[in-house]
Amino acid sequence: MFKKIGPGVLVAAAFVGPGTITMCTLAGAQFGYALIWALLVSIIATMVLQAMAGRIGLVTQSGLVDVVRTELSTPWFKNLVIIIVLGAILIGNAAYEAGNIGGATLGLEQLVPRQQLRPFLPATIGIVIFLLLWFSSYKILEKIFMGLVGIMGVSFVICAVITQPSMIGILKGMFVPKLPENGLLTLVALVGTTVVPYNLFLHASLVKEKWNSTKDLKAVNRDTIISIGLGGLVSMAILITASAAPISEINNALDMAKALEPLFGKMAFLFMAIGLLAAGITSAITAPLAAAYVASSCFGWEGGMQNKKFKMVWAIVLLCGVVFLSFDIKPIEVIQFAQVANGILLPVMASLLLWVVNKKSVMGNNTNSLLQNVVGIAIVVFAIFLGTKSIFKVIGLF
């Protein structure tokens, strides 16, 4: 079974990062089980979009940007799409990398007793990630991620079980949708942390690293469903745990752990710290990797992960994260730009994805079915709504 699991694990690890943990904590602490349905919808949407991206990567043996660049015939529109994608992914991932490394640092700080060592932890984590990316092949990264996701998953699920949640309440929150008062922006953010645009590029590029025949389509779909399903289970476990924690103020993902300690003891705090460390490291690896794959596709670089320009891109993204965190730089304007760019990017990429996956000239007999198109169109409409809300939130209209 483990030999058949592949890129889906990296995608799951990418969306369950410190940002997702913080948002699930916020949703659970403020609204209890009421927004579990939103997580369920976003997990299904992620499965559908990632399955399409994986299928494109398998059939074409190319990255998503390569296919889009080939299929778009209007020069100005093609260049506009490439600029939006490149800007959103490179600048966005560089800005969010600080949050990923920060999350890993928060988790590690709870496991390192000596206070004098703590200022060096962000740089230490950055060096470890650099060495992993520089010397590892895709197969090695895959094994590392399976271990980290396993640790993360077990940690958060144990935390949820410790809180003795109400199964009736969970099922009601999952299958009886309702929007609590003042819950709209939390819902938008919750979905936005799960349906991540850069994962579409990452998935298509990684699928061709593992599989090279359309005979493997079932394996790709199985890998996507199982891996993202497990990632979704972790997100739900975090939300369920947070609903039991008496949290008055939330600044980061560790606030839930601090609130749990008096109620459930040091073990809950320890599992939360370990889970946060694993989540931070996995996201801190996938964000630079996705940025490098996008740049590689946009500029047509050969050689995959061993290309020097490819390595230079992920190294710059990683360095930005370490610098922002180590010098306490708060790149608010950059992050706001990234939110706007990603708000535009998600509906654009979801639409392009749906267009490409229905082209016989590209996909042959592996185009979408009617049901897949209906679900895909619904996701595109929702992505436009989500993108609009994200932009309005940043510019202060809502």
Side-chain angles (χ1 to χ4, degrees):
M1 182 183 75
F2 288 109
K3 287 182 179 178
K4 292 179 181 178
I5 291 178
V9 174
L10 277 77
V11 172
F15 77 72
V16 185
T20 298
I21 295 171
T22 301
M23 283 316 307
C24 289
T25 300
L26 193 66
Q30 290 186 341
F31 306 112
Y33 303 141
L35 291 177
I36 292 182
W37 67 269
L39 259 183
L40 182 62
V41 169
S42 62
I43 290 160
I44 293 169
T46 302
M47 284 181 182
V48 172
L49 291 177
Q50 296 295 158
M52 290 183 196
R55 197 175 353 140
I56 290 170
L58 181 70
V59 172
T60 65
Q61 287 296 293
S62 300
L64 194 52
V65 179
D66 292 312
V67 178
V68 169
R69 192 178 57 188
T70 303
E71 292 302 311
L72 288 175
S73 55
T74 309
W76 71 266
F77 186 60
K78 180 196 300 186
N79 293 335
L80 178 63
V81 169
I82 289 174
I83 289 168
I84 290 172
V85 168
L86 197 59
I89 298 298
L90 290 182
I91 298 175
N93 286 11
Y96 293 131
E97 185 68 355
N100 295 330
I101 296 173
T105 302
L106 274 173
L108 190 56
E109 279 178 352
Q110 312 316 307
L111 309 173
V112 175
R114 293 189 178 183
Q115 293 280 346
Q116 60 266 36
L117 294 177
R118 292 185 177 182
F120 303 102
L121 294 182
T124 303
I125 290 169
I127 290 168
V128 170
I129 292 167
F130 179 88
L131 293 174
L132 284 173
L133 284 170
W134 188 270
F135 292 107
S136 298
S137 64
Y138 166 72
K139 289 184 179 180
I140 294 171
L141 282 178
E142 191 179 84
K143 289 182 174 66
I144 291 168
F145 269 74
M146 275 195 272
L148 287 171
V149 170
I151 291 168
M152 178 171 65
V154 169
S155 298
F156 289 131
V157 169
I158 286 175
C159 279
V161 172
I162 287 173
T163 63
Q164 298 180 342
S166 163
M167 291 306 299
I168 294 174
I170 290 170
L171 291 172
K172 188 176 178 182
M174 195 177 291
F175 298 111
V176 184
K178 65 176 182 178
L179 183 62
E181 189 178 352
N182 300 322
L184 179 61
L185 288 183
T186 303
L187 184 151
V188 170
L190 199 62
V191 177
T193 61
T194 308
V195 189
V196 184
Y198 80 71
N199 277 345
L200 300 173
F201 305 100
L202 184 65
H203 200 180
S205 296
L206 291 178
V207 161
K208 65 185 180 68
E209 298 273 355
K210 187 174 180 73
W211 293 293
N212 55 22
S213 169
T214 52
K215 293 177 182 177
D216 296 312
L217 187 56
K218 284 186 178 179
V220 174
N221 289 333
R222 190 187 307 117
D223 168 57
T224 302
I225 291 168
I226 292 173
S227 298
I228 293 172
L230 289 173
L233 179 65
V234 171
S235 296
M236 287 186 182
I238 297 163
L239 189 151
I240 290 164
T241 305
S243 67
I247 310 171
S248 57
E249 185 179 355
I250 300 170
N251 295 311
N252 58 59
L254 203 65
D255 287 336
M256 175 166 64
K258 291 173 182 173
L260 287 172
E261 189 174 10
L263 290 175
F264 305 108
K266 287 188 177 295
M267 288 303 290
F269 187 86
L270 179 64
F271 281 119
M272 275 296 300
I274 293 170
L276 184 56
L277 173 62
I281 290 176
T282 53
S283 294
I285 293 174
T286 52
L289 201 58
Y293 271 119
V294 169
S296 181
S297 292
C298 286
F299 298 114
W301 297 335
E302 300 292 336
M305 290 180 66
Q306 301 310 313
N307 184 289
K308 288 182 180 178
K309 293 175 182 176
F310 183 97
K311 290 184 175 183
M312 183 181 70
V313 172
W314 64 247
I316 290 171
V317 171
L318 178 59
L319 181 64
C320 286
V322 174
V323 169
F324 286 156
L325 199 64
S326 297
F327 292 95
D328 201 28
I329 299 170
K330 301 187 185 303
I332 300 300
E333 292 80 10
V334 180
I335 290 174
Q336 285 183 334
F337 171 80
Q339 288 177 332
V340 172
N342 280 333
I344 298 169
L345 183 63
L346 181 56
V348 168
M349 284 315 304
S351 302
L352 287 172
L353 196 68
L354 203 57
W355 172 65
V356 169
V357 87
N358 278 290
K359 284 182 75 73
K360 282 264 185 189
S361 58
V362 176
M363 302 299 294
N365 295 323
N366 295 291
T367 54
N368 267 2
S369 65
L370 178 61
L371 178 60
Q372 286 171 323
N373 279 331
V374 170
V375 175
I377 290 168
I379 292 170
V380 168
V381 171
F382 187 68
I384 292 169
F385 167 78
L386 178 67
T388 305
K389 285 290 181 186
S390 299
I391 294 165
F392 284 169
K393 179 184 176 184
V394 168
I395 63 179
L397 291 183
F398 282 116

